[in-house]
Amino acid sequence: MPDLNFDTISMAHGSGGKMTEILLKSGVFSLLGNEWLDQRGDGAVFSLPGRIAMSTDSFVISPIFFPGGNIGDLAVNGTVNDLAMCGALPRFMSLSFILEEGLDMKEFWNILSSIRNACAYANVQVITGDTKVVERGKGDRIFINTTGLGQVHPAAKLGASFIKPGDRILISGPFARHGMTIMSLRQGLEFDSNLESDTRPLHLVCHSLLEQFSESIHFFRDPTRGGVASVLNEIATQANCGVQLQERELPLDEDAAGACEMLGLDPLYVANEGIFLAVVSSKKAEACLELLRGWEHGKKAAIIGEITSEHPGSVVLQSAFGGRRLLPLLSVEQLPRIC
């Protein structure tokens, strides 16, 4: 555990002096050390062949610990998944902390340990970073910023420009679990359920899809903030097409559905951290679905809709009872500080 002589983070830990050195040496470098990070430079020099994907993100989730994870593994998984949605396998990432004075040192150690474990699982190396400390009351315990770099699959051709009418829309598993898990911890709300965040890395299953069906995979996206409906609206707008969604095919767990109903939230707009949407050729949709269902987290994967030339720019939900309703972009976020 870093800096055993202090129970909490102090302003001295951000001074750039001896206390900063102790914190980094006994914490960050001891857990995350590798040939690049151990050089302790202001950056890192490395080589990667082929096409490279790059993504940057910031994580400000509240609360920072939740069933299924914490802000540390969420930051790694979120960065890995952004690269996966580009068709890339993660290789390197930067990691920057903004710590609030008074953060419990044990909490910081637990977060660092989760980062180490998540990096090891995803086979990604932290090669540079930064640590700052802000005064008590000027932050919310800890914020994390990352940048990820990965190698793009040589056959990947992903983007809205490749989407065309007739394509099918797949989802890798049940949705709305992460957002409702976080909401269950806020303001004293408790649900009688086993809700747990779905935060996990997605790069390997995406890579498998590209390995087998690269010519048929047109688009990947993980529906984090804004949820499934927001991603589908992005697709409809960017591809100038319509999206037809089938309610009866949506894999929504009872726990998440019940929590959404209790709070009056539409699960299609709730954040996720461990599922993705894929737009694929209709000819290979069933084969892609079979592969997804063979993945350890994909047993409830489903084909939930299709791309159409009708109602371009709009997402329409066909209800299980035969009616239809428009799924617009929300003007405000249902659940802030979700990731």
Side-chain angles (χ1 to χ4, degrees), residues 83 162 189 209 216 231 234 247 333:
L83 295 172
F162 297 103
L189 295 175
L209 283 168
S216 299
V231 169
E234 291 177 17
E247 185 179 42
E333 191 173 7

Side-chain angles (χ1 to χ4, degrees), residues 112-128:
L112 287 173
S113 298
S114 295
I115 289 171
R116 176 196 58 188
N117 295 339
C119 284
Y121 187 87
N123 194 29
V124 63
Q125 302 276 354
V126 174
I127 60 174
T128 189

Side-chain angles (χ1 to χ4, degrees), residues 69-257:
N70 61 57
I71 192 172
D73 49 34
L74 182 73
V76 176
N77 292 338
T79 305
V80 166
N81 292 345
D82 284 347
L83 295 172
M85 297 306 105
C86 298
L89 288 175
R91 289 295 308 279
F92 301 124
M93 63 180 286
S94 69
L95 180 68
S96 294
F97 298 110
I98 297 178
L99 309 177
E100 183 184 18
E101 180 186 16
L103 173 68
D104 190 287
M105 197 67 75
K106 291 181 180 179
E107 291 186 335
F108 186 48
W109 178 260
N110 289 337
I111 290 167
L112 287 173
S113 298
S114 295
I115 289 171
R116 176 196 58 188
N117 295 339
C119 284
Y121 187 87
N123 194 29
V124 63
Q125 302 276 354
V126 174
I127 60 174
T128 189
D130 186 50
T131 300
K132 295 291 191 299
V133 179
V134 297
E135 295 91 342
R136 192 184 301 267
K138 296 294 180 65
D140 192 359
R141 297 162 76 191
I142 179 173
F143 298 148
I144 300 176
N145 175 266
T146 63
T147 294
L149 292 165
Q151 294 171 286
V152 179
H153 192 287
K157 294 181 179 179
L158 302 172
S161 62
F162 297 103
I163 295 173
K164 57 184 183 297
D167 285 352
R168 300 296 192 264
I169 303 165
L170 279 68
I171 192 168
S172 64
F175 58 101
R177 294 192 63 84
H178 175 75
M180 297 320 300
T181 298
I182 301 305
M183 180 54 73
S184 72
L185 300 176
R186 293 196 181 157
Q187 300 174 355
L189 295 175
E190 294 184 6
F191 302 117
D192 185 18
S193 70
N194 296 315
L195 268 176
E196 185 174 283
S197 172
D198 60 353
T199 178
R200 66 176 63 96
L202 302 169
H203 60 297
L204 293 180
V205 67
C206 290
H207 185 77
S208 295
L209 283 168
L210 289 171
E211 282 281 281
Q212 296 193 38
F213 308 108
S214 58
E215 293 298 320
S216 299
I217 307 294
H218 299 155
F219 186 89
F220 284 148
R221 186 65 55 83
D222 54 336
T224 52
R225 287 181 303 171
V228 171
S230 295
V231 169
L232 295 177
N233 270 279
E234 291 177 17
I235 291 172
T237 300
Q238 294 174 14
N240 192 30
C241 62
V243 172
Q244 186 74 36
L245 202 60
Q246 298 295 330
E247 185 179 42
R248 66 177 180 273
E249 302 298 337
L250 295 173
L252 181 61
D253 286 346
E254 289 185 7
D255 289 345

